[in-house]
């Protein structure tokens, strides 16, 4: 880590802590390009920090040096925690945050010593540990003085010795304004280090990791999807690790989430932005921007296209349907939200794939190659069951699932196959 400056000062604790001895407080400027690290057990631990708590957590991570043998007391100025605003109110917000983060607990797996190193177990025991040893607000200095609990030393110090840790660039992590986005970003980054770009987690385990109480969002998956998953996805869209996700269902009920992600290097980020600026008036990006979709949403759509979750024709199809529904007065709320959700949640994908011909683009032609090949399409059987359940919630028709399957898929060239005990609905490439 590069520190532009670093000094140790003496600070006397006030109030209830006045009897404590003076502590050395380290003040440093942190290089935004530095990498911050966590043990993977901490990444998978159960806790829930609000946005401001997470910012302090990240700022303290950035102040850990590779040769630290114990945690130091660090000073973090209020302006570092809330750089986007000024005024007296931000100091009150930080004061309140100090009270809440001081009570934060981690439910984390216990590491076991093996061969002189601390390692994770396949079926670990868990323990509950306070996050902070001490944290307080220094009025005179205008910031927070804090020190991590020594009990979490194995999860933050000497990581290269013990291994099993994940690194992320500070300036990327600080782009994330949503606490759930922070947790999912690190969780996906862990898998990137293993050379993977996809990871699946049981829904209950994901809720545990995010520090949710038992029964929270129970039976209200739509709320969980919109308030947790979608907001986390949006928060990570501008980082070096944007992600998409798929809801896996059994008998129509959500049971797990599969996250898809691809690390974006700084060079490719710059290339992407340059390409977008040049082509913005003649590509799907330009059309979506003109329809009101925010520029920050484009990386999510690019990631889904790169993962071949759909082709560009689907974007124009959703755009055409949105304009038609808006003209008919059937969109009661925001048309741009209707358009964006239709794309990233793929509500209209079955209908698009069932078309005999590709969708007609809106306003501008879709570039076509000399040979048009219809790709092979594969759905899990439970995905089709989920589509049926969603349609029934809207139409409430007497149509059975078998009739739905025949009407929407089997009559359109799809086949029902079984492989290794699992059912799929497949249309071969044409």
């Amino acid at each position: 880590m590069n520190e532009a400056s670093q000094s140790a000062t003496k600070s006397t604790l006030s109030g209830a802590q006045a009897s404590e001895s003076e502590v050395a407080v380290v003040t440093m400027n942190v290089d935004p390009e530095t990498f911050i690290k966590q043990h993977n057990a901490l990444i998978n631990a159960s806790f829930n920090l609000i946005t401001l708590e997470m910012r302090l957590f990240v700022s303290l991570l950035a102040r850990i040096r590779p040769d630290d043998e114990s945690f130091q007391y660090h000073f973090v100025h209020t302006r570092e925690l809330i750089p986007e605003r000024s005024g007296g109110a931000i100091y009150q917000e930080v004061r309140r945050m100090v009270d809440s983060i001081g009570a934060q607990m981690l439910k984390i797996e216990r590491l076991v010593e093996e061969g002189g190193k601390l390692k994770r177990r396949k079926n670990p025991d868990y323990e509950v540990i306070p996050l902070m040893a001490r944290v307080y607000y220094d009025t005179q200095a205008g910031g927070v003085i804090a020190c991590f609990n020594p009990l979490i030393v194995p999860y933050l110090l000497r990581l290269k010795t013990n291994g099993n840790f994940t690194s992320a660039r500070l300036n990327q992590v600080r782009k994330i304004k949503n606490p759930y986005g922070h947790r999912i970003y690190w969780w996906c980054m862990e898998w990137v280090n293993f050379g993977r770009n996809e990871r699946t987690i049981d829904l209950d385990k994901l809720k545990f990791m995010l520090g949710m109480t038992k029964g929270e969002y129970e039976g209200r998956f739509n709320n969980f999807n919109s308030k947790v998953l979608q907001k986390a996805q949006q928060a990570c869209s501008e980082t070096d690790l944007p992600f998409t996700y798929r809801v896996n269902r059994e008998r129509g009920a959500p049971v797990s989430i599969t996250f898809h992600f691809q690390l974006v290097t700084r060079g490719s980020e710059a290339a992407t932005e340059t390409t977008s600026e040049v082509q913005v008036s003649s590509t799907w990006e330009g059309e979506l921007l003109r329809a009101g979709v925010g520029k920050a949403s484009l990386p999510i759509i690019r990631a889904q296209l790169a993962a071949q979750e759909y082709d560009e024709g689907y974007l124009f199809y959703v755009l055409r349907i949105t304009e038609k529904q808006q003209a008919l007065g059937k969109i009661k709320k925001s048309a741009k939200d209707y358009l964006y959700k239709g794309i990233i949640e793929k509500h209209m994908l079955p209908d698009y794939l069932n078309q005999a011909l590709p969708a007609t683009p809106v306003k501008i032609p879709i570039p076509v190659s000399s040979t048009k090949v219809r790709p092979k399409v594969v759905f899990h059987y439970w995905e089709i069951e989920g589509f049926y359940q969603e349609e029934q919630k809207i139409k409430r028709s007497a149509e059975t699932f078998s009739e739905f399957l025949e009407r929407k898929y089997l009559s359109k060239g799809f086949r029902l196959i079984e492989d290794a005990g699992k059912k799929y609905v497949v249309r071969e490439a044409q």
Side-chain angles (χ1 to χ4, degrees), residues 260-294:
H260 301 273
F261 40 86
Q262 189 73 45
L263 189 64
V264 179
T265 62
R266 292 172 61 84
S268 65
E269 273 188 319
T272 300
E273 290 302 317
T274 302
T275 302
S276 299
E277 291 299 323
V278 172
Q279 298 181 346
V280 72
S281 62
S282 60
T283 66
W284 60 267
E285 293 177 334
E287 289 301 305
L288 295 184
L289 289 172
R290 278 189 282 273
V293 174

Side-chain angles (χ1 to χ4, degrees), residues 242-368:
F243 68 83
T244 61
Y245 64 92
R246 183 182 71 244
V247 180
N248 305 315
R249 299 174 182 269
E250 290 182 1
R251 299 185 180 277
V255 294
S256 65
I257 310 293
T258 298
F259 292 87
H260 301 273
F261 40 86
Q262 189 73 45
L263 189 64
V264 179
T265 62
R266 292 172 61 84
S268 65
E269 273 188 319
T272 300
E273 290 302 317
T274 302
T275 302
S276 299
E277 291 299 323
V278 172
Q279 298 181 346
V280 72
S281 62
S282 60
T283 66
W284 60 267
E285 293 177 334
E287 289 301 305
L288 295 184
L289 289 172
R290 278 189 282 273
V293 174
K295 191 172 182 179
S297 301
L298 297 184
I300 297 174
I301 299 172
R302 290 192 203 109
Q304 289 185 335
L305 284 168
Q308 298 183 336
E309 297 182 24
Y310 45 73
D311 57 28
E312 289 186 17
Y314 177 63
L315 304 178
F316 290 103
Y317 176 80
V318 178
L319 187 54
R320 179 163 62 87
I321 294 299
T322 301
E323 290 192 344
K324 183 183 293 185
Q325 295 292 87
Q326 188 177 22
L328 294 172
K330 293 187 177 181
I331 300 178
K332 304 302 181 183
K333 296 183 179 180
S334 169
K336 66 180 181 181
D337 289 344
Y338 181 91
L339 170 64
Y340 177 65
K341 289 185 177 182
I343 293 171
I344 66 166
E345 296 180 12
K346 302 180 280 293
H347 295 316
M348 307 178 200
L349 189 57
D351 290 331
Y352 169 69
L353 294 174
N354 282 336
Q355 293 183 123
L357 296 173
T360 303
V362 181
K363 299 181 182 177
I364 62 173
I366 302 175
V368 294

Side-chain angles (χ1 to χ4, degrees), residues 381 384-385 388 398-411 416:
Y381 192 75
I384 306 299
E385 291 178 317
Y388 170 70
E399 184 180 45
T400 65
F401 173 70
S402 296
E403 292 169 339
F404 172 84
L405 180 63
E406 175 65 33
R407 174 174 63 84
K408 297 280 284 186
Y409 298 93
L410 301 184
S411 65
L416 181 62

Side-chain angles (χ1 to χ4, degrees), residues 71 113 313:
F71 292 128
E113 188 170 353

Side-chain angles (χ1 to χ4, degrees), residues 105 109 170-171 177 249 257 311:
M105 309 293 286
E109 57 189 85
L170 175 62
N171 60 4
K177 303 298 191 290
R249 299 174 182 269
I257 310 293
D311 57 28

